[in-house]
Amino acid sequence: MEPFSACVIIPVFNHSNHIEATVRCITELNLPCILVNDGSNQNCSSVLENLTRSFNIHLLTHEKNQGKGAAIFTALEFAKQQHYTHALQIDADGQHNLNDINRFLDAARQNPLALINGVPQYDDSVPKSRLYGRKISTFWVRINTLSTDIIDVLCGFRVYPVDQTLLVIHENSIGRRMEFDLEIIVYLYRASIRIINLETKVIYPADGSSNFDMWQDNVRISKAHTKHFFLMLGELLKRIFNR
Ligand SMILES: Nc1nc2c(ncn2[C@@H]2O[C@H](COP(=O)(O)OP(=O)(O)OP(=O)(O)O)[C@@H](O)[C@H]2O)c(=O)[nH]1
Ligand SMILES: [Mg+2]
């Protein structure tokens, strides 16, 4: 069996308030850390540059903003070049529970071919609109996979098996913005990758900011659900006619 070698990947777009604490924690855990500056503004870019002086991290840069999915793709390609077998994805905005990093990596170590998927446990800080949006997404994913195997599709805290994930990205047309999180997990499921759901606390820090565009990102997410609905329908019909 291939040896297990994990890194942490962080897509960053204009999130500078919590990134230092996140990077500090990851490096204290002795984990390699790959940041992708996805065309951030001057202030955030300077904060990220400064981090490379204080910590032993990799900083990759998109000159122009390309989207969260594009940033994760860049990070995964780099992780593969560096021979990491697994990549733990975490957001830059301080929403995720750093104390869960080792628990998620342990699960990946024990199940190296699976995707370890974060299932958010919110406190009262969560905006209601985001909570309802998630419920709708979960409903559609259950229909589109004809299963209840995926408990949440939008959580940015998860561990990818690098080779399997890149293969699925190369073989399919996957959105490069916020719809990436949901599309990649559905495509991995369709490629028979086991999904292991683990609960993790997610908060909305008082000084946090979201780049989630309630209109455009929700339209992208709805389009992705519609696409996967028809893919599911096509496969269902194929199965019925091939009987
Ligand atoms: N929205 C957005 N985020 C990006 C982009 N590129 C990288 N990111 C990073 O992706 C992560 C998630 O972004 P957020 O704006 O917090 O979106 P979210 O966590 O899904 O939404 P909230 O639940 O409202 O916080 C953060 O680490 C961002 O810095 C991009 O083009 N757009
Ligand atoms: Mg966020």
Side-chain angles (χ1 to χ4, degrees):
M1 200 169 66
E2 218 180 329
F4 180 88
S5 169
C7 63
V8 176
I9 60 177
I10 315 179
V12 192
F13 181 55
N14 295 346
H15 278 136
S16 51
N17 290 353
H18 296 268
I19 191 65
E20 179 169 349
T22 305
V23 165
R24 182 181 303 281
C25 170
I26 292 162
T27 51
E28 278 173 6
L29 291 170
N30 283 325
L31 288 165
C33 184
I34 301 166
L35 274 78
V36 181
N37 178 358
D38 186 31
S40 295
N41 58 27
Q42 190 57 53
N43 170 50
C44 181
S45 297
S46 311
V47 169
L48 298 180
E49 281 296 336
N50 283 337
L51 287 180
T52 63
R53 285 178 210 115
S54 315
F55 300 97
N56 185 13
I57 54 172
H58 301 280
L59 175 61
L60 313 176
T61 303
H62 290 170
E63 290 308 325
K64 282 199 181 136
N65 176 251
Q66 297 182 27
K68 181 183 181 184
I72 293 163
F73 177 56
T74 297
L76 286 172
E77 289 274 21
F78 185 79
K80 185 176 169 65
Q81 279 168 26
Q82 302 288 311
H83 308 291
Y84 296 118
T85 60
H86 290 76
L88 180 137
Q89 174 193 329
I90 184 167
D91 283 357
D93 54 1
Q95 288 189 274
H96 294 146
N97 187 356
L98 299 165
N99 294 326
D100 277 344
I101 290 178
N102 275 335
R103 186 164 64 90
F104 272 57
L105 288 178
D106 283 345
R109 197 175 285 114
Q110 283 159 27
N111 305 276
L113 296 179
L115 175 92
I116 312 301
N117 183 35
V119 179
Q121 304 298 298
Y122 294 112
D123 59 12
D124 293 339
S125 59
V126 58
K128 290 283 172 286
S129 57
R130 306 290 282 118
L131 209 54
Y132 296 141
R134 287 197 117 82
K135 285 194 173 155
I136 295 170
S137 271
T138 305
F139 166 79
W140 276 112
V141 165
R142 287 185 173 181
I143 293 193
N144 293 348
T145 57
L146 297 175
S147 85
T148 52
D149 291 359
I150 308 175
I151 310 283
D152 186 275
V153 276
L154 295 176
C155 186
F157 191 73
R158 45 173 73 158
V159 187
Y160 293 108
V162 172
D163 282 350
Q164 289 78 359
T165 307
L166 282 172
L167 195 68
V168 164
I169 294 175
H170 287 299
E171 282 179 349
N172 298 284
S173 143
I174 300 182
R176 298 292 156 111
R177 293 205 167 262
M178 282 301 188
E179 70 278 33
F180 176 88
D181 279 345
L182 99 85
E183 282 216 81
I184 186 66
I185 200 163
V186 173
Y187 274 121
L188 283 165
Y189 180 83
R190 292 163 66 95
S192 302
I193 298 291
R194 184 174 163 212
I195 311 294
I196 296 179
N197 300 287
L198 293 186
E199 293 184 352
T200 183
K201 277 190 189 141
V202 176
I203 54 164
Y204 279 74
D207 61 345
S209 67
S210 172
N211 301 310
F212 188 91
D213 185 320
M214 280 314 247
W215 171 243
Q216 284 200 33
D217 283 322
N218 274 324
V219 168
R220 286 188 188 107
I221 287 173
S222 303
K223 280 187 178 166
H225 285 312
T226 311
K227 169 177 137 189
H228 288 279
F229 176 76
F230 284 107
L231 284 174
M232 176 277 290
L233 212 58
E235 256 170 38
L236 201 63
L237 290 174
K238 227 191 277 170
R239 260 188 259 164
I240 293 169
F241 284 119
N242 285 343
R243 264 197 194 163

